[in-house]
Amino acid sequence: MTESRRLGLRIALPAIGVAVALLLAGCSSSGGASSTSAASKTNFGGVKLTVWNSIDYNPYEAQQKSFFEKCGKKLGITVDDQTINGDYASALLKAAGSKSLPGIVQLSTDVELPTLAAEGALANLHSLGVSTEGESSSVSSLGTYKGTLYGLPSNIENYAIFYDKVAFANAGISTPPATFADFVADAKKVTSSTEAGVAFSGQSGDGSVAAYFLPWILSAGGNPADPTNPGTIAAVNLYKKLVANGSLSKEFVDWGWNSTDQWTAGKAVITVDGPWELVDSSLKVKYATAPFPTLKAGQKPQVGLLGYAYGVSATLSSKEQQAAAALIQCRSSEANQVATAIAGGYIPALTAAQQAFVAKVPSAKSFVDAVPTAYNPAKLGTKWNTLQNVFAAALQDAATNGDSAEQALAKAAQAKGQ
Amino acid sequence: MTEAPAVRRRRSGRPVPDRRRLSLASRRRAELWTFLVPAIVFFAVFFVYPLGYGVYMSTTNFTTATFFTGQSPFVGLANFIAIFQDPVLGKAIVNTLLITVASVVVELVVGLALALLFNRRFPGSRWLPTLILLPWLLPSVVIGTIWKWLLAGDGAVNGILSSLHLPQDTWLADPATALGAVIVVSIWGSLPYWSIILSAALKQVPEDQLEASQLDGADGWQRLVHIVIPTIWPVISVLVVMSVVYTLLIVDIVLVLTGGGPADDTATLGLLSYRSAFDLFQFGDAAAYGMLLLLISLAFAIVYTWLSGRQERRAE
């Protein structure tokens, strides 16, 4: 399960690059939707809709099928729920290019949603009466492109610190580190000959650095758009210090999403990971989660946020669009979101569902607490692709070649034209 | 109604060939084109067009938006200027050439040594060549994954070194050893190919010449230098050309082993092209890197052709 999701993230960016080559024609918006609140209607007898899901593992797959079919039955819609295996981005863009996008599509909010929305392939959900009420603004904004709602976020992902409680207790550490300095000191304390203090990713190209390093920049008060600002320098310095004091193996430069394998295998005490670990029953580590430490005491930690949203094809008729809007609103009910979170290890999009998830899985609190102030890196647009490479190059340079964080970031930024 | 005569006749009464029938020369030309056209079409579709499209892309601002809009503005040499301003380019060119030269030299020397070994009879001499072929049968990505595990800090290589009380390292993360590790893995993957081809070539070396030289007192080294290598030289030169071109394009092994790191210390031209296309979606820059690789390959091909020609002229 976890591997499947990591794989999806790993291939998402390269895949979209290849996939767009298959788009031969732009897509146009039908714009024929009624402005009445379709999502509140209850009967669409005769409407048939196809749903495409991208998350291809069970129990998630079977669960979504069940949700859509139940909602379809309730609304009088015949639903054909499909999960697309393999290169979903290619399939999506090929369908959009040939104007044969299915009625409802699941979209990653960082790449797929803005790509399709920019080409007019998605319907405006506001005009169809879809509501994001109950979601914090950081979550609802994930489904928007240039201020228009094109996707209803159903589940989201962010990151938190995972640590081995036993190792912390053995080292006499009673509370998780609150500042970068505490983090460096605690990592050093828990490092032993058999277990590293920390496992982070540092490899360029697979997107993991963007996910796992971004919270450190933000929690140092940094601006991810500016690679040479003090917060980013402080975040690179943190990695450099951890390597220098032996808490983090310099092999982290070769670790991508699999960096967390070091932690799950008991070879590291602390790592950064996503919510999928919260529901992994095979984990042997007795762990706890914590929010990211901040550069200085009293600062607020911040994380990056991405998610999955359901969009409606702009090529549907007005009636079908209204039916699709009602269907995704039904699918995104609080109960369904909580069930998805528990089964799949996602954070629900609805605030009430998040609280219910925390009640069931208490270690999710660090994730949920970070949602309202989370940062959406998709707003950096295509620049984010370049910045990810800048950060990876700077981390590697500072940690292995002995350059200062300032030098490494300046060099990497210059090399990548930032 | 009268029927048209099938064959006109000369006054002497001998039949005259119908004008519609082709002359021998024309038939030969037609046959020639019948065989040539498929080859020309194949060459045009699969070589000229992709190459031409690569050249075109390298002179345009070709991004993901191009696939939607169909527009890629002509930018002249701007992509080439951009890649030449990349500070990593120099390192990537040096790394690419280092990997290529080191790989080809080691593959030639060790491959020949293995081929000579396989030409002797010893216990296991029948199955060993087959066994050693296995790495060549593996996809590069699998080779990279296996070696990434072997060379990891807690991997098998360090395990063996530790048991022998020898110094260990994080081979792929240390700037001093990462490039060497990439070269070793590249050689490991290609060596079987060299040894098998050279082993087959060695069978062409005349036994009588070897025996005669032995009777004349030539030692093993002299027989190798004066008889064996000159005999198999055409095979060696073809292997060198193929291996140089193949290794210049190295991407997959580097991508899996180090991703070009640490700090771009193992970056190659192929990797920079891959990154431009699939990390940054700058297809114009990626094509420019590709053109640079093509120029290097062409330079090598020109030098090789010139040297071969000179050698042939000397032989005449």
Side-chain angles (χ1 to χ4, degrees):
Chain A
M1 174 192 82
T2 308
E3 276 306 311
S4 175
R5 286 173 61 180
R6 285 178 185 160
L7 183 66
L9 284 164
R10 261 179 265 175
I11 64 172
L13 288 179
I16 204 136
V18 176
V20 287
L22 300 164
L23 267 177
L24 299 175
C27 313
S28 63
S29 171
S30 69
S34 160
S35 61
T36 56
S37 182
S40 60
K41 287 189 179 175
T42 54
N43 199 301
F44 297 92
V47 173
K48 291 181 182 174
L49 288 172
T50 300
V51 181
W52 272 11
N53 285 289
S54 62
I55 301 170
D56 57 353
Y57 63 87
N58 274 313
Y60 187 93
E61 200 176 321
Q63 201 178 35
Q64 302 317 303
K65 191 174 178 65
S66 154
F67 293 158
F68 273 111
E69 284 175 354
K70 276 183 188 165
C71 284
K73 202 171 178 182
K74 188 173 145 193
L75 295 164
I77 302 166
T78 306
V79 179
D80 176 15
D81 180 86
Q82 300 175 11
T83 297
I84 308 301
N85 296 306
D87 190 353
Y88 183 68
S90 291
L92 207 56
L93 290 165
K94 267 190 276 188
S98 58
K99 296 185 180 171
S100 57
L101 202 63
I104 295 172
V105 283
Q106 187 177 42
L107 303 163
S108 68
T109 59
D110 56 340
V111 178
E112 290 158 4
L113 187 143
T115 305
L116 291 191
E119 298 310 314
L122 301 173
N124 177 347
L125 297 185
H126 277 313
S127 67
L128 293 169
V130 172
S131 168
T132 56
E133 198 182 327
E135 294 177 355
S136 61
S137 60
S138 63
V139 175
S140 59
S141 69
L142 291 175
T144 62
Y145 176 75
K146 292 188 174 173
T148 302
L149 186 73
Y150 288 106
L152 179 62
S154 55
N155 36 46
I156 55 175
E157 289 177 1
N158 57 10
Y159 304 94
I161 302 286
F162 283 74
Y163 63 93
D164 182 339
K165 284 195 292 189
V166 177
F168 262 48
N170 290 342
I173 305 167
S174 53
T175 54
T179 64
F180 281 15
D182 294 343
F183 189 84
V184 172
D186 288 352
K188 177 73 180 161
K189 273 186 206 168
V190 295
T191 300
S192 66
S193 58
T194 55
E195 213 171 7
V198 185
F200 288 159
S201 76
Q203 191 173 50
S204 168
D206 72 349
S208 60
V209 168
Y212 293 155
F213 181 63
L214 178 61
W216 295 106
I217 298 175
L218 296 167
S219 299
N223 173 11
D226 173 14
T228 54
N229 75 89
T232 313
I233 291 169
V236 173
N237 255 328
L238 173 76
Y239 277 54
K240 191 173 163 64
K241 284 177 190 167
L242 291 167
V243 171
N245 75 10
S247 306
L248 172 62
S249 166
K250 66 179 177 185
E251 270 197 300
F252 86 98
V253 300
D254 293 326
W255 296 337
W257 290 107
N258 62 351
S259 62
T260 55
D261 293 348
Q262 299 288 318
W263 181 76
T264 53
K267 294 178 183 174
V269 176
I270 312 169
T271 195
V272 174
D273 211 342
W276 48 83
E277 293 295 4
L278 300 173
V279 295
D280 185 351
S281 55
S282 68
L283 266 183
K284 290 175 183 167
V285 184
K286 288 185 179 171
Y287 70 88
T289 60
F292 278 82
T294 54
L295 179 60
K296 292 171 189 166
Q299 284 180 314
K300 293 275 182 196
Q302 197 182 10
V303 297
L305 192 67
L306 57 88
Y308 293 92
Y310 284 105
V312 172
S313 170
T315 56
L316 296 181
S317 69
S318 174
K319 185 182 177 187
E320 287 170 333
Q321 284 188 6
Q322 291 180 43
L327 192 62
I328 61 172
Q329 192 85 67
C330 172
R331 148 66 187 90
S332 301
S333 70
E334 185 182 328
N336 287 350
Q337 288 195 13
V338 174
T340 303
I342 291 168
Y346 290 98
I347 303 301
L350 289 165
T351 306
Q354 289 168 6
Q355 298 310 322
F357 181 44
V358 172
K360 301 254 184 196
V361 183
S363 51
K365 189 174 186 308
S366 302
F367 289 87
V368 167
D369 288 350
V371 170
T373 57
Y375 178 89
N376 179 8
K379 68 184 178 189
L380 293 171
T382 54
K383 195 181 175 189
W384 184 228
N385 300 328
T386 310
L387 286 166
Q388 295 179 36
N389 284 294
V390 170
F391 298 142
L395 285 172
Q396 295 188 359
D397 202 12
T400 62
N401 281 341
D403 281 353
S404 69
E406 292 92 330
Q407 286 171 332
L409 278 163
K411 206 196 291 183
Q414 191 213 344
K416 313 293 177 191
Q418 290 299 302
Chain B
M1 198 172 92
T2 56
E3 286 182 14
V7 178
R8 289 181 300 117
R9 291 184 180 275
R10 283 184 186 164
R11 284 183 186 169
S12 61
R14 289 170 59 195
V16 180
D18 193 300
R19 281 189 182 175
R20 286 171 296 180
R21 292 184 68 182
L22 297 172
S23 66
L24 183 62
S26 300
R27 277 210 307 274
R28 282 191 175 160
R29 269 201 303 277
E31 282 169 9
L32 187 73
W33 282 107
T34 306
F35 285 107
L36 270 178
V37 165
I40 290 171
V41 169
F42 182 84
F43 187 73
V45 171
F46 293 105
F47 291 91
V48 178
Y49 175 73
L51 185 64
Y53 201 70
V55 174
Y56 160 74
M57 283 177 77
S58 70
T59 58
T60 62
N61 183 22
F62 203 112
T63 64
T64 46
T66 304
F67 298 115
F68 290 110
T69 62
Q71 293 172 348
S72 54
F74 178 72
V75 293
L77 295 175
N79 292 332
F80 290 93
I81 293 168
I83 68 164
F84 276 104
Q85 285 173 342
D86 183 348
V88 183
L89 179 71
K91 201 187 268 189
I93 291 175
V94 171
N95 287 346
T96 305
L97 295 177
L98 263 177
I99 293 171
T100 304
V101 172
S103 298
V104 172
V105 169
V106 174
E107 282 161 13
L108 171 61
V109 174
V110 181
L112 184 59
L114 284 172
L116 289 167
L117 178 70
F118 295 152
N119 262 23
R120 291 169 178 266
R121 291 205 169 178
F122 59 90
S125 62
R126 282 194 172 185
W127 54 264
L128 198 58
T130 312
L131 190 70
I132 210 162
L133 193 62
L134 284 177
W136 187 63
L137 301 176
L138 296 174
S140 299
V141 173
V142 176
I143 291 174
T145 307
I146 291 169
W147 277 94
K148 188 166 185 172
W149 173 74
L150 290 172
L151 293 168
D154 55 356
V157 170
N158 276 345
I160 293 167
L161 292 172
S162 169
S163 63
L164 297 171
H165 304 290
L166 290 170
Q168 298 131 59
D169 201 349
T170 48
W171 305 101
L172 296 171
D174 188 335
T177 56
L179 188 65
V182 169
I183 292 171
V184 166
V185 177
S186 167
I187 291 169
W188 188 82
S190 301
L191 196 58
Y193 178 71
W194 278 77
S195 67
I196 295 299
I197 299 287
L198 290 176
S199 189
L202 285 177
K203 298 200 186 326
Q204 306 301 317
V205 179
E207 277 293 325
D208 52 346
Q209 283 187 24
L210 290 172
E211 283 170 13
S213 63
Q214 202 167 5
L215 288 172
D216 288 343
D219 60 20
W221 176 253
Q222 286 171 323
R223 290 201 300 277
L224 176 72
V225 172
H226 297 293
I227 299 174
V228 175
I229 291 181
T231 307
I232 64 169
W233 185 252
V235 176
I236 290 176
S237 61
V238 169
L239 275 175
V240 167
V241 173
M242 289 172 65
S243 190
V244 164
V245 173
Y246 176 79
T247 316
L248 278 174
L249 303 175
I250 189 166
V251 179
D252 35 20
I253 285 181
V254 179
L255 204 58
V256 176
L257 281 177
T258 63
D264 294 322
D265 283 336
T266 57
T268 62
L269 279 173
L271 187 86
L272 293 188
S273 180
Y274 176 89
R275 275 187 191 165
S276 292
F278 300 114
D279 286 355
L280 306 175
F281 308 132
Q282 296 296 330
F283 297 99
D285 287 357
Y289 282 117
M291 290 303 114
L292 191 56
L293 262 175
L294 181 71
L295 284 178
I296 293 172
S297 299
L298 271 178
F300 169 75
I302 289 167
V303 170
Y304 168 78
T305 309
W306 177 69
L307 285 175
S308 299
R310 200 174 66 162
Q311 197 177 7
E312 278 173 21
R313 281 194 298 276
R314 275 185 185 166
E316 286 165 6

